[in-house]
Amino acid sequence: QVQLVESGGGLVQPGGSLRLSCAASGSIFSIYAMGWYRQAPGKQRELVATITRGGSTNYADSVKGRFTISRDNAKNTVYLQMNSLKPEDTAVYYCNARPVGLPPAWGQGTQVTVSS
C-alpha cells in the first residue's frame, strides 16, 4: 500500500514558477517509477513527467524545457519544478506512483492556476 501527498500548488502569474512536492509513504520499496499528471476541467488526464528510481526521465512535449522532475530517494519524495508557466498549464496536478505488482497509486491533487 502506497500513500501520496502533493503540495506546492497555488496561483502564479504567467512566466512565474512553482515547485510541487509529492511525499510517498507505505510500501515505498515497491515503487519503481513516479510521475506527475494533470487534468484541466473538461479535459482528459495527461502525463506531465515521469522518473524512475534510477533517474530516467520522460516529459510531455508541452512542458519539455520548462518543467523538471526530480526525486530524493532518501526522502521518498518527487518534485516538479515548473518554470515559465503559461495559462494553459492551469490544472489539478496529481502525483502517481507505480508499485511492483500493484495498481498505480494517486495523490489527492494540488491546484495550479496560472493567471494574470
Side-chain angles (χ1 to χ4, degrees):
Q1 190 177 15
V2 175
Q3 297 83 40
L4 305 173
V5 179
E6 304 101 329
S7 62
L11 173 64
V12 297
Q13 294 183 343
S17 298
L18 281 175
R19 189 192 193 206
L20 306 183
S21 298
C22 175
S25 61
S27 189
I28 298 167
F29 63 89
S30 68
I31 300 173
Y32 64 89
M34 295 183 68
W36 289 94
Y37 293 73
R38 66 186 182 187
Q39 188 166 23
K43 303 290 186 179
Q44 269 192 296
R45 181 183 63 192
E46 65 174 348
L47 170 71
V48 177
T50 60
I51 188 167
T52 68
R53 280 282 184 177
S56 297
T57 58
N58 183 56
Y59 296 91
D61 288 341
S62 59
V63 307
K64 198 170 297 182
R66 299 188 297 119
F67 292 9
T68 302
I69 189 170
S70 62
R71 84 281 184 269
D72 186 334
N73 288 336
K75 295 182 178 180
N76 303 312
T77 301
V78 65
Y79 306 94
L80 185 68
Q81 179 66 46
M82 304 185 294
N83 299 326
S84 302
L85 283 162
K86 305 174 181 179
E88 49 263 47
D89 295 318
T90 296
V92 177
Y93 284 70
Y94 296 93
C95 184
N96 166 264
R98 300 175 184 176
V100 176
L102 294 171
W106 294 92
Q108 82 286 353
T110 185
Q111 177 71 46
V112 172
T113 302
V114 184
S115 176
S116 59

